[in-house]
Amino acid sequence: MAVDYAVIVVYLAGMLAMGWWGMRRARSKSEFLVAGRRLGPWMYSGTMAAIVLGGASTIGGVGLGYQYGLSGAWMVFTIGLGLLALSVFFSARIARLKVYTVSEMLDLRYGGRAGLISGIVMWAYTLMLAVTSTIAYATIFDVLFDLNRTVAIILGGAIVVAYSTLGGMWSITLTDMVQFVVKTVGVLLLLLPIAVIKAGGFSEMKAKLPTEYFDPLGIGGETIFTYVLIYTFGMLIGQDIWQRVFTARSDRTARLGGTVAGTYCLVYAVAGAVIGTAAKVMYPKLPTADAAFATIVKDELPVGVRGLVLAAALAAVMSTSSGALIACATVANNDIWSRISGAVTRGGDSAEHDEVKGNRVFILIMGVAVIAIAIALNNVVEALTVAYNLLVGGLLVPILGGLLWRRGTAAGALAAVSVGGAAVIGLMAGYGILANEPVYYGLLASLAVYVVVSLATKPTDAAVLLAWRERLAGRGGQPAPQEPAEQPVAG
């Protein structure tokens, strides 16, 4: 294992070095939060794929393959579908808005009255997303170093907090590019073919497993529908995803790069399910399905390769964790604290510099909070379900309504966020956190009140809608940066 340890240590040290490099780049709010809006297609595609394919997509995707066979790909597959839909239909308009958060978009569309409550809902979502990613460190470091759960969470979380605090989005972008390459090599090019070969090939897998393991719909139609509702629609509205869209240097980059990333997700989904199916052949009686990834890596891969594949799993967790952390801190600072305190800083280079320091402080505070909650919390699936139920139930309707329906009003948006969020929370208490009904009924309640209240209230002011259309067309807000080249890699 000495070689494997060396691979991991070098990888972790590299993450911290990139954080230090990013600190030298991030001198303004734009540089720190959205990498100066300067990423070209190559870096944009890699970093977008990295953030959406986290520990749940890697370890959880293999676990679903172990449990259900090829249909276990559906969870990650719906993530890819959501990213494709976002990129093709919405990303160009989102990029042209030149904002920093989803709540700022809602303020622009509805006239400045929807931001605080939507910010609180989005903050809760990004916080729980960061927590679930951080909990996953316990699984990986247990395999690597036999560390206890608390130490593993602190170690992995501290590294992510360090490089995210130092360089903001520039550090996260560079680390995500490395993580994207490591995941591609480790999971797609190494673990996938090795797992299939060790299982005896597809003919042997079909001979040893029930036929439902090779049924594309074997996981169940209702489950697939729920995945679409939560993950496909969740991709359309999450702050962590939008903040990456804001990094694109043009709307064409956002559309093209996101389409490439979404297609990559579809391939990754199938690969995880195949690896899990192969693990079922080799280890038919594992205690839990989520143990499939760690077991096949520990027992079947040669020295060195094992270290790289474990680094790939670590990369998957870190990319999602860092993206969720900066999103959480951005919302906490820009959408909640600044509104409550009235401390929005305006104008001048010194003001921009102060905002960088302020955002660094919030990343550090949120990072410590995430680590503490991760240590106290045990059930990853429940935490992730709460996060996505709140996001979809509370924010999907007012966000998509604002983009697609001119008649939607601020009162309708506020009612949709409040009723949808409250309905989801109440229904989770009644039906159970993992039930499908909370997001179904919460979303319907949000849609109903949005339409009814919007039609019953005065239409949005014409001046607000005019300013909104100008921003959507790219003729308002901050000017786009003039630098044509991204760094350090050309797009």
Side-chain angles (χ1 to χ4, degrees), residues 109 118 135 223 237 244 325 393 418 451 457 467:
R109 169 58 181 82
S118 64
I135 291 172
T223 298
I237 59 174
R244 295 310 174 96
L325 176 60
S418 303
V451 173
T457 53

Side-chain angles (χ1 to χ4, degrees), residues 2 30 49 64 76 177 220 231 278 295 320 331 355 366 394 434 459 464:
S30 175
L64 287 171
V76 183
M177 275 305 298
Y231 297 115
T295 302
T320 300
V331 171
E355 288 195 69
M366 291 297 105
L434 298 180
V464 172

Side-chain angles (χ1 to χ4, degrees), residues 57-126:
S57 300
T58 303
I59 298 170
V62 171
L64 287 171
Y66 182 89
Q67 188 173 0
Y68 298 104
L70 298 185
S71 66
W74 272 106
M75 183 186 78
V76 183
F77 203 84
T78 55
I79 290 173
L81 292 177
L83 188 51
L84 285 171
L86 174 71
S87 303
V88 172
F89 299 112
F90 299 108
S91 63
R93 283 184 283 178
I94 291 169
R96 287 195 292 263
L97 289 174
K98 295 292 187 289
V99 295
Y100 292 102
T101 68
V102 174
S103 294
E104 287 180 42
M105 167 262 166
L106 292 172
D107 276 350
L108 283 172
R109 169 58 181 82
Y110 294 111
R113 289 176 288 168
L116 180 59
I117 188 170
S118 64
I120 292 171
V121 174
M122 187 64 77
W123 174 77
Y125 157 73
T126 53

Side-chain angles (χ1 to χ4, degrees), residues 261-296:
T263 304
Y264 178 90
C265 292
L266 303 183
V267 175
Y268 201 88
V270 176
V274 171
I275 292 167
T277 304
K280 183 68 175 180
V281 173
M282 291 182 277
Y283 309 99
K285 298 187 182 298
L286 289 177
T288 65
D290 283 344
F293 181 89
T295 302
I296 197 170

Side-chain angles (χ1 to χ4, degrees), residues 198-211 213-214 277-278 280-282 284:
K198 292 281 187 178
F202 284 104
S203 58
E204 188 70 12
M205 290 161 62
K206 286 185 176 181
K208 289 188 174 180
L209 294 173
T211 56
Y213 264 72
F214 302 92
T277 304
K280 183 68 175 180
V281 173
M282 291 182 277

Side-chain angles (χ1 to χ4, degrees), residues 155-223:
L155 176 60
I159 292 169
V160 169
V161 171
Y163 73 69
S164 300
T165 302
L166 285 172
M169 187 60 82
W170 268 121
S171 295
I172 293 171
T173 294
L174 191 57
T175 55
D176 277 0
M177 275 305 298
V178 174
Q179 289 158 356
F180 170 73
V181 172
V182 171
K183 279 192 285 193
T184 301
V185 174
V187 176
L188 296 185
L189 301 184
L190 292 176
L191 184 58
L192 174 60
I194 290 173
V196 172
I197 292 169
K198 292 281 187 178
F202 284 104
S203 58
E204 188 70 12
M205 290 161 62
K206 286 185 176 181
K208 289 188 174 180
L209 294 173
T211 56
E212 55 263 28
Y213 264 72
F214 302 92
D215 180 358
L217 303 179
I219 199 170
E222 184 178 352
T223 298

Side-chain angles (χ1 to χ4, degrees), residues 2 4 38 113 140 182 203 264 342 351 365 401 403 430 490:
D4 298 326
R38 288 194 288 171
R113 289 176 288 168
I140 298 170
V182 171
S203 58
Y264 178 90
I365 293 171
L403 288 169

